[in-house]
Amino acid sequence: MGKNFIPTRESVLVTWTKSFEQTIAKQPTDFGLTVEQATAYTTAQAAFAAAYQTANEPMTRSPGNIEIKNTAKDALIALTRELVKIIQAYPGTTNDMRRELGVTVPDLDPTPVPPPSETPTIDVLSVDGWTLNVRLHNGESSRRGKPVGVKGATVFSYVGDQPPMSVDDWKFEGNTTKTDTKVVFPTTVAPGTKVWLTAFWFNPTAQSGPAATPVSRYINYDGMSQAA
């Protein structure tokens, strides 16, 4: 049963709310409700059922009766949501009880998110002195956004003519949940020095995917801005 458990078709709503009413009326306290709340629901359900019947009978169908039916429907739905919220929060409510009522059963064992399979593409938008302004995206698309199931990215840097083969030789620059980020090199790195970046995506449980193809830029001469 999904989150939108309340039927949209009025004919189904009549039967669904009647079943709900009969279930909680047996023993309201089992669901964390009071007798008064269950009685109020019985009254609201009966009012809507009667108004629905009147509004759909050819001899009694009129704008006024339709309005009465709509008002009773809105009141019943609001009360249903109010009581379901109480029931869902009540410690004694079990999933079997939720199924009996026809309401949402929480997913306590969600489908695990696998480690990312994609590699991020790294775009260096600009180089400003010792700062590289970077955008990460998926594959060949330059559209902002992360792949499905990805929480963020881990970024690494390296200073040298060629990127290292071992991940241990890269410098960890940090984790980011944004696709636009900055990598700032120390001012001890001389202007004109070649630097490298790589990154990998990670999922909500911190499992990482494959590393991106390293990209290189040069630290600016005299702090002059350099576009990618």
Side-chain angles (χ1 to χ4, degrees):
M1 183 64 64
K3 292 183 178 180
N4 297 323
F5 54 87
I6 297 179
T8 55
R9 290 183 58 186
E10 291 183 343
S11 59
V12 180
L13 182 63
V14 171
T15 57
W16 186 92
T17 53
K18 183 60 180 178
S19 175
F20 183 90
E21 180 271 327
Q22 290 175 334
T23 302
I24 64 173
K26 295 175 186 176
Q27 194 63 46
T29 55
D30 287 352
F31 298 92
L33 303 175
T34 65
V35 173
E36 290 76 15
Q37 287 171 322
T39 300
Y41 193 84
T42 297
T43 301
Q45 198 282 329
F48 169 64
Y52 171 82
Q53 185 69 26
T54 300
N56 283 277
E57 287 287 347
M59 296 296 294
T60 54
R61 183 173 178 84
S62 67
N65 285 333
I66 292 173
E67 180 63 26
I68 292 172
K69 180 263 297 179
N70 290 340
T71 300
K73 174 184 173 181
D74 292 342
L76 179 61
I77 289 176
L79 184 55
T80 301
R81 295 193 184 281
E82 178 184 337
L83 297 191
V84 169
K85 186 175 181 180
I86 295 171
I87 292 168
Q88 293 284 37
Y90 182 58
T93 303
T94 66
N95 284 343
D96 285 341
M97 295 165 69
R98 293 182 176 97
R99 293 186 186 97
E100 183 182 9
L101 289 171
V103 301
T104 302
V105 177
D107 185 4
L108 300 178
D109 187 21
T111 303
V113 178
S117 59
E118 301 93 341
T119 59
T121 296
I122 304 172
D123 291 339
V124 180
L125 303 180
S126 64
V127 182
D128 186 8
W130 287 268
T131 300
L132 274 63
N133 296 298
V134 177
R135 174 169 298 163
L136 305 171
H137 57 88
N138 192 30
E140 298 300 321
S141 171
S142 61
R143 180 181 61 84
R144 295 191 184 189
K146 302 183 287 287
V148 175
V150 165
K151 182 177 182 181
T154 301
V155 181
F156 298 88
S157 70
Y158 181 75
V159 178
D161 290 334
Q162 295 295 327
M165 298 298 294
S166 173
V167 67
D168 295 334
D169 295 326
W170 288 87
K171 178 187 175 185
F172 171 70
E173 292 290 349
N175 295 320
T176 177
T177 57
K178 298 180 179 180
T179 53
D180 284 7
T181 188
K182 296 178 183 290
V183 177
V184 181
F185 289 86
T187 56
T188 52
V189 178
T193 299
K194 193 174 188 178
V195 297
W196 296 84
L197 298 177
T198 189
F200 57 72
W201 299 121
F202 61 84
N203 68 7
T205 57
Q207 294 176 300
S208 60
T213 301
V215 298
S216 65
R217 289 294 185 275
Y218 292 90
I219 294 298
N220 290 171
Y221 287 97
D222 301 323
M224 299 294 290
S225 179
Q226 171 192 335

